[in-house]
Amino acid sequence: MTIAHVNYKVAIEAAGSPKISWLVCAHHSNLKLKVALQSCLDQTFTDFELIVVANGVSASKVVASVAEWYGSDSRVKIFSTPICHLTFSLSLGVHFAKGEFIARMDADDIAYSTRLEKQYQFFINHPDSTVLGSAFDLIDENGLVQKTIFPLTGDEQIRNALIYKNPICHPTAMIRKQALIEAGGYLGGLQAEDYDLWLRLSANPNNRFANLKDVCIGYRITGGEARGSRLSYSSQGSSQFRHFLMGYGSKWLIASFITFIKIMRLSVSNFLGRQAK
């Protein structure tokens, strides 16, 4: 295992270049993290590295735990930063990743064993594809499946859906690293960094999106989930408005206005909820 306390000047050269780089960011060390990392390692496809970015005030604890669990596994490479910001950590991980593809995973999700194999095979069969997500199980704190989500699968469907929602679940995504870099990498705000990236990638008509019908991960929903929050909607709305300002059509101005209405409805709902207590 490679451990690096990043000084932002020296890059570590990996021995060889794997096809796929897992990218997991973590600011807590717990059993869910170990389960998530183990699921990344227990894949039927084997040509990969696992990039772990430990961030925040507990980064040293994450580094120590990962070293204890996987210190003898050369596939695992961990980088440490005190900056607890997901967009920064993702950018840091992309910088050090050696794979042709970036496979995202959250630190509390579970990758099913054939995920990499199925997604890599799709890219082989569809060499024009840029971003590939998948169907996914929503799991609770105990890992029990609550619901299975089957997203839109085709490029045109996904592009049309981008106007009003995020049609690709980020932890299911595998992305061509070169296309990600050419689009500017991760530039989003505190949340919805994935939606911001999809919009910038969609600006290039040569980039193609898809979702597998196969269920590839267990996506854990917790009390702090970003989905449907005012902060995530604010990030989404700002990305939509920027797209309008960049000349991609009035539909993006309308989309940002609709998102603003969602924020107002959430604010009113939260206010009424507090008043009722």
Side-chain angles (χ1 to χ4, degrees):
M1 185 182 78
T2 300
I3 301 177
H5 299 282
V6 181
N7 63 10
Y8 316 116
K9 294 181 180 179
V10 180
I12 294 178
E13 291 296 329
S17 296
K19 289 292 183 183
I20 299 171
S21 296
W22 281 110
L23 178 51
V24 180
C25 303
H27 58 273
H28 291 301
S29 174
N30 51 35
L31 180 59
K32 290 187 180 71
L33 174 61
K34 185 176 183 180
V35 170
L37 297 182
Q38 191 63 50
S39 73
C40 291
L41 295 171
D42 292 340
Q43 293 288 306
T44 55
F45 183 91
T46 58
D47 190 8
F48 65 84
E49 64 179 355
L50 172 54
I51 301 288
V52 181
V53 179
N55 58 41
V57 295
S58 299
S60 60
K61 294 181 180 179
V62 175
V63 170
S65 294
V66 176
E68 178 184 350
W69 300 332
Y70 304 112
S72 61
D73 195 325
S74 61
R75 298 172 297 175
V76 180
K77 301 172 178 64
I78 184 164
F79 301 91
S80 175
T81 172
I83 301 174
C84 190
H85 192 295
L86 180 57
T87 300
F88 179 85
S89 296
L90 290 171
S91 298
L92 189 65
V94 170
H95 172 72
F96 287 108
K98 302 300 180 183
E100 180 182 356
F101 300 96
I102 302 293
R104 272 287 290 126
M105 259 279 290
D106 282 347
D108 59 352
D109 294 337
I110 300 173
Y112 298 157
S113 62
T114 57
R115 174 188 167 177
L116 292 190
E117 179 183 355
K118 289 178 177 178
Q119 290 190 306
Y120 183 73
Q121 190 59 52
F122 183 92
F123 276 108
I124 294 299
N125 295 337
H126 303 84
D128 58 340
S129 291
T130 307
V131 179
L132 176 64
S134 76
F136 55 96
D137 289 328
L138 293 177
I139 60 176
D140 63 14
E141 285 289 320
N142 300 312
L144 299 176
V145 176
Q146 303 300 302
K147 185 179 181 180
T148 301
I149 304 297
F150 294 96
L152 301 169
T153 57
D155 178 70
E156 184 176 359
Q157 292 176 308
I158 291 171
R159 284 176 174 273
N160 290 336
L162 275 171
I163 299 172
Y164 59 90
K165 69 176 183 179
N166 187 344
I168 296 179
C169 177
H170 195 198
T172 73
M174 185 179 288
I175 312 164
R176 288 190 185 274
K177 180 184 175 183
Q178 187 58 40
L180 192 159
I181 292 172
E182 289 175 356
Y186 286 98
L187 300 174
L190 295 175
Q191 293 188 11
E193 74 290 330
D194 51 345
Y195 183 78
D196 173 81
L197 176 60
W198 307 153
L199 285 193
R200 285 183 283 112
L201 284 167
S202 71
N204 183 344
N206 294 322
N207 289 329
R208 298 187 64 81
F209 299 84
N211 278 308
L212 291 178
K213 295 180 180 179
D214 302 87
V215 179
C216 289
I217 75 163
Y219 179 36
R220 200 180 303 273
I221 298 295
T222 66
E225 181 62 44
R227 175 183 294 180
S229 72
R230 285 178 292 175
L231 184 55
S232 63
Y233 278 138
S234 296
S235 297
Q236 178 178 316
S238 63
S239 296
Q240 291 166 335
F241 188 65
R242 183 201 61 211
H243 226 50
F244 163 70
L245 293 177
M246 292 177 66
Y248 291 106
S250 59
K251 63 184 180 182
W252 293 102
L253 177 61
I254 297 171
S256 65
F257 180 71
I258 292 173
T259 302
F260 174 74
I261 292 175
K262 292 178 181 178
I263 296 170
M264 295 302 297
R265 289 179 61 185
L266 273 175
S267 298
V268 171
S269 177
N270 291 343
F271 174 77
L272 293 177
R274 289 194 298 269
Q275 293 296 106
K277 291 182 179 180

